[in-house]
Amino acid sequence: MKRIKILLILLTGVIVTSCQNDFSEEIPPITLPLNEAINNEKVLNTAVNGLYGYYQTNSDGSLNSYGAILPTLQELLADNAFVALVNSNRFSTTRDPNLTFYTQNNADIATVWSTLYKIIANANFVIGYEGKISDDSNTPGTPANLFGQAYAIRAMAYSTLVSLFSDNFNGSNSEFGIPVPLDFKPGTNLPRASVKQVYDQIFADLTKAASLVGTTNGSRKLNAAAIDLLFSRYYLAVKNYGQANTYAQKVLNNTAYTLLPSSGVADFFSTVGETNTETIFQIDYNSLDLPGANDGITATWSSTGRYKQNFATQTFFSKLGAADVRRGTWYRNTGYVLTLNDNPKPIDVMKYTTTDRDIVVLRKTEAVFNQLEAMYYTNPAEALVKLNLWVKTYRDTGYTYAGTGTDLLKEILMQKNLELFLEGFRYGDLKRNGIAFKNPQTQVELTLNKVQFKAFPLPQAELNTNLSLQQFPGY
């Protein structure tokens, strides 16, 4: 994804910077008054493309979100993945049973916070021009569609931030949400909103996006199907399981996309798989725009990466049936991992093995599991039937499960992790559903009463900059 030189601000707007544009024509740094910076649909389109650019990672790691650090942390902070004994020191504290990862000086936590607020600041900048840009017949699409994408992008960022830096909806310390800037106002310091206020804003942004965005943006832009899937995520978070089911079913009913069949598993994460109709939204990487071997998701995952250090556990691998099509394709217990000193031996995760493979963020099969989770709370018997049907049909013909109660919920989430490992879910799924765990490889344990399972600490640098902020209680 090419990037545009556009003003960006950290949370409360005192840091302004820009990044290199590599579109077909060079756009100079914005020096016009802010009310003149976006003055036509072509520039608006470039600015929205720039928002997607912030989903990537850059060479110094200061820009890193959905393309690498978020899916990585979702696995390493949960129960089915770990950093090997021999490592580059990246993410190494995630394996410490003393939970030293969760400190206000942690650089990874700071990067997540700053990058997501950069996305929000730039989205606010773009949204500030809503109603001021006329449709240009020479520019594909419409201004309404572009503004709708900006609202959806902002909603995604707020959803991710509140899920990590606050407790669950209706959880403890409900007044400790996150700041919610909605305007481009450099230098403004905002306190935390309540958790409910943050989710209310996410709902408002998704509702506005749904009214503006069309269906034909392609898999590298957010469209109506993406917004339906984001609504399903939202309703799971706020525990409205009926609506979560409804929106998941909307995605499943969308004939523009198809559930990934067993025959498509082997190639799905190759560059050939980028055109698969399973994918609703993916982050664009190509031969001219790469994160680099040191920086992208491939840097630390799989035996093909630069550092070869992040792996899945044997316990995770044991959940795959002998006939499961993901065994030996996405996950392998052979080759390089057998040379490592870790005990038990690691499992190689072979999803992303080339830097120019687009990073999958939203795909249709997620809707299957959003629906199953919602049904667990409303109709567990039907959830059990549908779980068995999906796994048997799409991944493992020999699969049979008959558990009930919380065991059924854990199985639904385990099957989701087997399918969507390294796609940004596990830690959040466990936290949202109040499922404590102990990582069998590292012995890291998170229980419901530990502050580390309630919320990330706010970065110390942000606390120093914004004196209106309060640290989450317990840190």
Side-chain angles (χ1 to χ4, degrees), residues 340-387:
L340 299 176
N341 293 327
D342 300 84
N343 185 27
K345 296 295 186 184
I347 298 300
D348 216 349
V349 180
M350 302 296 289
K351 282 191 170 181
Y352 295 105
T353 59
T354 60
T355 55
D356 58 347
R357 177 36 168 116
D358 292 354
I359 304 299
V360 177
V361 179
L362 300 169
R363 60 181 174 109
K364 188 167 185 172
T365 299
E366 182 196 336
V368 172
F369 290 98
N370 289 357
Q371 184 172 73
L372 288 172
E373 182 179 335
M375 282 184 169
Y376 165 78
Y377 288 102
T378 58
N379 190 341
E382 187 175 1
L384 178 61
V385 171
K386 284 183 174 287
L387 173 65

Side-chain angles (χ1 to χ4, degrees), residues 6 45 52 68-69 85 114 116 120 161 166 171-172 175 193 211 225 245 325 330 345 376 397 405 437 447 458 465 475:
I6 180 171
N45 182 67
Y52 291 110
I69 197 170
L85 290 172
S114 64
L116 290 172
I120 289 167
L161 282 162
S166 301
S172 62
E175 70 274 23
S211 72
N245 187 353
V325 295
W330 294 352
K345 296 295 186 184
Y376 165 78
T397 56
F437 67 87
T447 56
L458 295 188
T465 300
Y475 284 109

Side-chain angles (χ1 to χ4, degrees), residues 379-423:
N379 190 341
E382 187 175 1
L384 178 61
V385 171
K386 284 183 174 287
L387 173 65
N388 277 281
L389 179 61
W390 180 82
V391 179
K392 280 178 174 287
T393 302
Y394 290 93
R395 298 295 178 264
D396 181 3
T397 56
Y399 178 82
T400 299
Y401 184 77
T404 59
T406 55
D407 287 342
L408 173 58
L409 175 60
K410 291 177 181 179
E411 178 66 12
I412 288 169
L413 297 179
M414 174 56 75
Q415 288 299 326
K416 180 179 180 181
N417 198 212
L418 290 171
E419 178 67 15
L420 301 175
F421 189 98
L422 200 54
E423 297 179 51

Side-chain angles (χ1 to χ4, degrees), residues 123-405:
N124 288 343
F125 182 76
V126 170
I127 290 169
Y129 290 89
E130 187 180 11
K132 302 175 183 178
I133 307 299
S134 59
D135 191 14
D136 179 0
S137 60
N138 295 318
T139 301
T142 65
N145 180 294
L146 293 166
F147 286 118
Q149 292 178 61
Y151 278 107
I153 288 167
R154 187 170 73 178
M156 277 189 68
Y158 278 133
S159 181
T160 304
L161 282 162
V162 74
S163 71
L164 294 175
F165 290 91
S166 301
D167 201 355
N168 291 336
F169 187 84
N170 288 340
S172 62
N173 303 113
S174 60
E175 70 274 23
F176 284 84
I178 56 170
V180 185
L182 299 177
D183 301 302
F184 185 84
K185 292 181 178 179
T188 303
N189 290 325
L190 296 178
R192 289 178 181 258
S194 70
V195 173
K196 182 180 184 304
Q197 287 172 327
V198 179
Y199 279 107
D200 285 349
Q201 186 57 50
I202 293 166
F203 177 81
D205 280 353
L206 290 177
T207 300
K208 188 64 179 289
S211 72
L212 297 173
V213 169
T215 60
T216 58
N217 287 340
S219 67
R220 293 176 179 87
K221 301 288 179 67
L222 296 172
N223 61 14
I227 293 167
D228 285 340
L229 193 50
L230 292 173
F231 259 126
S232 183
R233 291 182 181 184
Y234 161 81
Y235 281 117
L236 285 179
V238 300
K239 306 183 189 309
N240 185 334
Y241 299 114
Q243 284 294 86
N245 187 353
T246 295
Y247 275 92
Q249 190 61 50
K250 286 184 68 175
V251 176
L252 295 173
N253 290 343
N254 192 324
T255 57
Y257 303 93
T258 55
L259 293 174
L260 181 66
S262 59
S263 61
V265 166
D267 291 333
F268 183 66
F269 286 97
S270 70
T271 53
V272 173
E274 290 180 353
T275 60
N276 196 296
T277 51
E278 156 83 357
T279 304
I280 296 173
F281 171 64
Q282 56 193 339
I283 301 169
D284 185 24
Y285 283 119
N286 55 64
S287 60
L288 299 177
D289 184 23
L290 296 176
N294 286 321
D295 309 298
I297 201 167
T298 59
T300 54
W301 288 95
S302 95
S303 59
T304 66
R306 173 61 62 87
Y307 300 111
K308 302 177 177 60
Q309 65 165 62
N310 299 347
F311 301 99
T313 67
Q314 285 281 349
T315 301
F316 171 82
F317 190 70
S318 70
K319 300 293 184 180
L320 295 167
D324 196 305
V325 295
R326 297 165 297 195
R327 178 186 282 266
T329 52
W330 294 352
Y331 313 114
R332 300 178 186 175
N333 63 345
T334 57
Y336 173 78
V337 291
L338 297 178
T339 69
L340 299 176
N341 293 327
D342 300 84
N343 185 27
K345 296 295 186 184
I347 298 300
D348 216 349
V349 180
M350 302 296 289
K351 282 191 170 181
Y352 295 105
T353 59
T354 60
T355 55
D356 58 347
R357 177 36 168 116
D358 292 354
I359 304 299
V360 177
V361 179
L362 300 169
R363 60 181 174 109
K364 188 167 185 172
T365 299
E366 182 196 336
V368 172
F369 290 98
N370 289 357
Q371 184 172 73
L372 288 172
E373 182 179 335
M375 282 184 169
Y376 165 78
Y377 288 102
T378 58
N379 190 341
E382 187 175 1
L384 178 61
V385 171
K386 284 183 174 287
L387 173 65
N388 277 281
L389 179 61
W390 180 82
V391 179
K392 280 178 174 287
T393 302
Y394 290 93
R395 298 295 178 264
D396 181 3
T397 56
Y399 178 82
T400 299
Y401 184 77
T404 59

